[in-house]
Amino acid sequence: MQEMQRISPTFYVEAGLHEITFRVKASVPGGEQYPRLSKISLHRDGESMKSKEKYIYRFGDHAAEGDESMRDLLGGKGAGLAEMTRLSIPVPPGFTIGANACRYCLKHGDLPAEFAGELAAAVCRLEESVGRKFNDERNPLLVSVRSGAAVSMPGMMDTILNVGLNDENVVGLAERHGSLRFALDSYRRLLQMFGSVVLGVPKRRFDATLDSVRDECLIGAGAELDETALEQVIERFKHAIEQHAGRPFPMDPREQLDMAVCAVIESWKNERAQHYRKIHNISDDLGTAVTVQSMVFGNFGNDSGTGVGFTRNPSTGEHVLFGEFLSNAQGEDIVAGSHTPTPIAELALAMPEIYRQLVDITSRLEAHYGDIQDFEFTVQKGKLFLLQTRSAKRSACAAIRAAVEMVEEGLISRAEAIRRVPTDAITEILSPQLDLSAVKMQPIARGLAASPSSATGQIVLTSERAVHLAGKHRENPVILVRQETTADDIQGMHASVGFLTARGGATSHAAVVARGMGKCCITGASGIEVDEAAGTARVGNCELREGDWISLDGATGRVFQGKLPLRSSEAADMHLETLRTWARETPNAKVRANADTPEDARRARQHGAVGIGLCRTEHMFFAPDRLPQMRAMVLASTLEQRQKALDTLLPIQQADFEEIFHVMAGLPVTIRLIDPPLHEFLPDREEVKEQITQASSHGTSAEEISRLEGVLQRIGQLSEVNPMMGHRGCRLGITYPEIIAMQVKAILQAAIKVGTSGIEVEPEIMIPLVSCVEEIRHLRNAIEIAAKEVFQQQEKTVPYRLGAMIELPRAAMCAASIARETDFLSFGTNDLTQMTYGFSRDDARKFIDAYLELGILQDDPFVTLDQEGVGALISLAIREARSAKKSIKIGVCGEHGGDPRSIKFFRSVCVDYVSCSPARIPLAQLAMAQASLEHAL
Ligand code: PEP
Ligand code: MG
């Protein structure tokens, strides 16, 4: 072997008029050489381009220049055809013009100069391959010209069939195939498609012509046009084209092809396609590929036909060949819905051998791609051809069932099944749906889809009326419509099947509670004005009265007038259960629940939560039988009075904790100490004033009036200008240590009692709204004193962990020192978002919609975590906390813990778990499993 020599290269550039050549100076034995490294051609406009770019790729006839991996270039259709060629599946030969040609066109307004030559060569090759020539008068080559982007955009762009026919060769085609009707029918289809797609003649012009010829020739709707009628149609179509386009239909097949290719490329820019891309977030720069394929004909007679199918039922996922077939027809007859096709199963009787082949080929395709295929086929005189195969669009139910069954059939791995099911499918399948298929209605209002599922019920405007109208056993469905909801509405919310509020966001009280209850909720619905006194609510343009029916679509935030039917969800689906088990078994995909009551805890456990990540203790006191004791505690003006009230609350709270520990046996339960400002537990100031006025005029006792005045005074003392940044969170615990002492006592006494009965308990005490490490030190001390007292009294101990919520920017910045003092941290992303943005959680709706519309915000930051700002704080805090204490456990318990996109981020920064409301657990489990699989790659 020749010895390698180390050289110090010098680069040279050789600039010519049309190209630049890069060379390197190399010292070799015997002198110096300047071998060429690379050559770059210059375009007319001086732009540089690497050596000649290829635009056209052939397929079919046992040869394919491409495969599935080139989907970005060849589009779904082109890649599928290339791949089918490689699998020796019969596809009519042709070539695909790559999306690079379209992209060039988008940029320069024209196809590249070298394209015409490449197209001419591709046409020659195709002519050789099929043994027919364009414009051969006896046996012309006809092609289809179809669009096909990398991302499926069904029906958005254009297709032209039978390109290559003209007045002369249509006769040859008829003679060759012994059917003038077939040839004329093919020609009129070309005129119709070419006229509308390439020359812009309105489609209705052609339809009207077809109708009038039918009338004149007395041919009924649905019956086939005979030869005479077709000849008339062709003449009138040509006339219409000339009249509308100002030029005759091109008789030269090559000119037809060139024009058709340009028109299909241009169809990337049509309004439909643009709109579709916008909705589905598809980049405008991708461009479409164009597939030119030799025609096969399904309209040759009864041994021919065309069909579309799916390898599994796309609505149910059932593993049966599903689709439709139409004999003696061309593809668009099925798609356009102009004919009624027969179920594909009937093909087994009509053409058993073709059916057998189709089953065989499509099962091979499904196994090859490992996914449900949506395919198109044509039978031409007893011979089967596949025209297209692609991954099928499917319902939520089908997505889940097919993914699970494909694992069982050995087609895909469990991980792939988890990756494949969109998280939306879980939301969709688990929530009852409004059946909008039966009715065509416009919504009367729109708001924020704050909690999925749907509801239909009679409107009620107050909590009391909700309870009353719903009935003792909640037998009447009612929807609570409020300007906004407060803690006082909890009873009404419990009684209702759904809530609609004019104000509030996705993390506002109504939304949080609704999700917790698994009920439908639409918040921040503009155009709603509730007049409780008059008993009316204006919703959009409708004036509604209590008792009127409305329906809420929680998935989209739409409000409808009337009682719309609901179709039940398929929550008990065994495939869903299997998928969820696999998701739960995925490493590092822990999901806990935000559960405030034993009832919530039971739902959380049923859903497979691995613990409770947030128990908001104050929610326990909103229950109607507890609120009076809580109010007594808040109204207390002396420590003694407060302690007395706390003593009555202690057993209530302890009983709840006992039940929760029972339900969550063996799993951690994070209990957050009291968080909201105390005035939230008091009645509304205006209501109390009104009560005083009423009491005075009705001769109520002086004692009662003075009690009410006391309440009013206390409301005044406790009310704050900005309660969200006021006397709440750990600040309450610091200023009212007796409340904290009671809560710690209730937690630990409950843990000891349940633990003694042989059940494993894992209590975690969490301090809310921490801003500095000194607060933790102070409260830790208070908690330890209370714990010591319990342990001494009970003569037993129970291990517990102490943690802090990171929900203030300052806490995030100081995460290292907070971590040193705690066992775990949990990000309260609702407050962290509120405090980082300075957007009030309850008032931000006023401008967030405008921000979203103007593109100032891409997403509502209270729904999907803002990764750039809030996320940056979270990453930094996690890094700092783990560097200070490697073993620290870190979770998320804000509403973002149930949002798939946010979950992906949380997993990427290595949180140990996310916690969300019970109803969202299945969704979060799948999202967390998907994120973990992605993170492990
Ligand atoms: C949070 O702020 O994210 C949180 C979980 O606490 P809350 O919503 O109760 O303020
Ligand atoms: Mg909070």
Side-chain angles (χ1 to χ4, degrees), residues 672 675 728 805 807 831 841:
R672 180 180 74 181
D675 181 16
R728 61 172 285 220
M805 282 188 81
E807 45 188 347
D831 272 312
R841 283 162 67 168

Side-chain angles (χ1 to χ4, degrees), residues 512 594 614 616 618 672 675 728 805 807 827-832 841 893-895:
V512 173
N594 290 356
L614 174 64
R616 292 173 162 108
E618 62 276 1
R672 180 180 74 181
D675 181 16
R728 61 172 285 220
M805 282 188 81
E807 45 188 347
F827 287 96
T829 48
N830 303 334
D831 272 312
L832 192 56
R841 283 162 67 168
C893 64
E895 292 303 302

Side-chain angles (χ1 to χ4, degrees), residues 838-864:
F839 289 177
S840 153
R841 283 162 67 168
D842 294 312
D843 301 319
R845 279 251 65 76
K846 284 181 195 148
F847 54 86
I848 281 189
D849 284 344
Y851 270 38
L852 291 171
E853 227 158 76
L854 292 167
I856 294 172
L857 284 175
Q858 296 309 312
D859 296 292
D860 181 341
F862 290 106
V863 176
T864 300

Side-chain angles (χ1 to χ4, degrees), residues 883-903:
S883 65
K885 190 185 263 183
K886 205 163 166 236
S887 63
I888 193 139
K889 200 162 44 153
I890 299 179
V892 172
C893 64
E895 292 303 302
H896 303 89
D899 171 66
R901 276 194 289 155
S902 312
I903 288 174

Side-chain angles (χ1 to χ4, degrees), residues 403-426:
V404 169
E405 289 188 346
M406 281 184 176
V407 173
E408 285 158 0
E409 291 159 19
L411 284 180
I412 58 173
S413 65
R414 285 184 180 188
E416 180 53 30
I418 289 169
R419 263 186 229 115
R420 187 171 287 178
V421 176
T423 47
D424 289 352
I426 305 283

